[in-house]
Amino acid sequence: MQFVTITDIEAAAERVKGTAVHTPLLRQHWAEGRLWLKPESLQPIGAFKIRGAYNAIAALSEAERARGVVAHSSGNHAQAVAYCARAFGIPAVIVVPDVTPRVKVAATRGWGAEVVEVPIADREVVADRLARERGLTLIPPFDHPEVIAGQGTAGLEIAADLPDVDTVLVPVSGGGFASGVGVALKARCPGVKVYGVEPELAADTAESLRAGRRVEWPTADLARTIADGQRAQPSELTFAHLQRVLDGIITVTEEEIRRTVRTLAHRSRLVVEPSGATAPAAYLHHADELPGGRTVAIVSGGNIDPELLTELLG
């Protein structure tokens, strides 16, 4: 198994420079000044996924890029691959679940990608088939060393901007983001504690870490959470990384996620999608389960459907 190293992440940082935004750490004085938010919602496509997608495409040979890329995603990776493919001037086909928020589907098409909508359980199979039939290179959302390394660049930024950070909260879905961020932070800030955060209704990683092995949940169960960006499950590669870098995992309820979307809108002036609210929700509602100290919660994205935002703010 190929584990991602700090050297891989440093190389990724050079590749994504100028494309991925070095997002700031925003100190939240209303939270007693002990919480910093890292708003990956400020990325060009509204989520951290641009880091891994760009790094993976940049690492391809010119011949591979020329043939085009394919990806499967619930929305944010879809937009990231479409955006990055456009930046490289290459074709992109994106397979999305038919329950994907329309705002994410529209944005993916807006970046010039061909979008194929399928039942949520079929997304990987269809993407693999299209890759074979059309000679496209698959850019998976998390199960890929270059994707993990690209996501880890967010961890490098945290270490540079707040080197004495005590705790970092990062959302977990397929596990690529938490894997990369964890590797970077453990290398640069040896004393930091890294906690993953999941919705209770999609807490497969929490169960897997307790069991010491991957425990798969039915797709229908994962689809129950409002956090549509956290309906994937770790691969063997990402789970092995998570076992190495996570110091713990917190699960948050649907009501806690909803309340946090409202809180961040009113108190932090940030528009956050439900998946982006899970890490801050862990700090706001489960502080007694955390080590405390200077805490960074990563806001993974802000691509929320306007109707849902109106509902949650009401």
Side-chain angles (χ1 to χ4, degrees), residues 17-36:
K17 187 182 297 182
T19 297
V21 174
H22 181 134
T23 52
L25 292 183
L26 305 177
R27 192 171 188 177
Q28 305 301 295
H29 293 283
W30 57 269
E32 299 181 354
R34 307 293 286 177
L35 173 66
W36 284 257

Side-chain angles (χ1 to χ4, degrees), residues 217-238:
W217 283 28
T219 302
D221 286 356
L222 297 171
R224 296 173 301 168
T225 180
I226 192 175
D228 61 277
Q230 290 183 266
R231 293 170 179 167
Q233 303 186 71
S235 64
E236 290 185 11
L237 177 64
T238 56

